[in-house]
Amino acid sequence: EDKVVQSPLSLVVHEGDTVTLNCSYEVTNFRSLLWYKQEKKAPTFLFMLTSSGIEKKSGRLSSILDKKELFSILNITATQTGDSAVYLCAVGRSGGGADGLTFGKGTHLIIQP
Amino acid sequence: SQTIHQWPATLVQPVGSPLSLECTVEGTSNPNLYWYRQAAGRGLQLLFYSVGIGQISSEVPQNLSASRPQDRQFILSSKKLLLSDSGFYLCAWNPGGYEQYFGPGTRLTVT
């Protein structure tokens, strides 16, 4: 059975801090790892990683995948209160993309002013 | 640009009543479509996915069913709701790659 484990489950930091969120996985026929941000409603897409060692970056957020050790990290630098959300990690199996994603339980991040 | 719609946004239904949730996608054709459920304290769970009209794959055995009567329409149904069906139901689509984009969701409370 496919498995995605995120840590920590919750995290409280102060504005301006840097945070690192972790995601480890066990998936048959791994093809992709995705990060989403969920603020009360639908998850919004952040990154998709398919190749090991290549960093994806968008503003203050960045992510990298290690396919040998089966994990990914999501970094957020200079955090702002608007970064408060649940961050979800998901993995996709091979199968042409039609298969659904397997999600972790998420990391609940709270940024205090 | 592509847009995904879900309705209703919220729903309160008694145990044993039927359910019909609808999802439609605009601005694309032949998308892969997915139904997920997010229950309190649990991660997103894939329920069904569809690669075309009339083609439904079920991931989890339950009292729910899905149908795809048109290319861009995906429906989640139940004949008799259980308390355990409460949750946040999300429809998602992808154009054939690996990224999935979610609709606004339906929050279902079964009483």
Side-chain angles (χ1 to χ4, degrees), chain A residues 36-110:
Chain A
Y36 288 85
K37 178 182 181 183
Q38 186 174 26
E39 300 172 89
K40 304 251 184 213
K41 292 201 171 179
T44 54
F45 173 77
L46 294 175
F47 297 112
M48 183 176 73
L49 303 111
T50 56
S51 300
S52 201
I54 298 176
E55 185 183 50
K56 288 280 183 91
K57 196 170 172 67
S58 175
R60 297 176 292 104
L61 279 67
S62 63
S63 183
I64 196 160
L65 174 67
D66 185 328
K67 289 170 75 172
K68 183 180 176 185
E69 300 298 329
L70 307 183
F71 78 91
S72 173
I73 60 172
L74 175 68
N75 280 321
I76 308 175
T77 59
T79 51
Q80 302 171 358
T81 54
D83 295 326
S84 295
V86 175
Y87 289 84
L88 298 169
C89 173
V91 294
R93 302 187 295 258
S94 64
D99 289 2
L101 301 173
T102 300
F103 281 82
K105 291 186 178 180
T107 293
H108 188 189
L109 177 63
I110 297 172

Side-chain angles (χ1 to χ4, degrees), chain B residues 27-38:
Chain B
T28 187
S29 59
N30 198 32
N32 296 327
L33 296 172
Y34 307 83
W35 279 113
Y36 290 86
R37 177 172 59 201
Q38 190 172 37

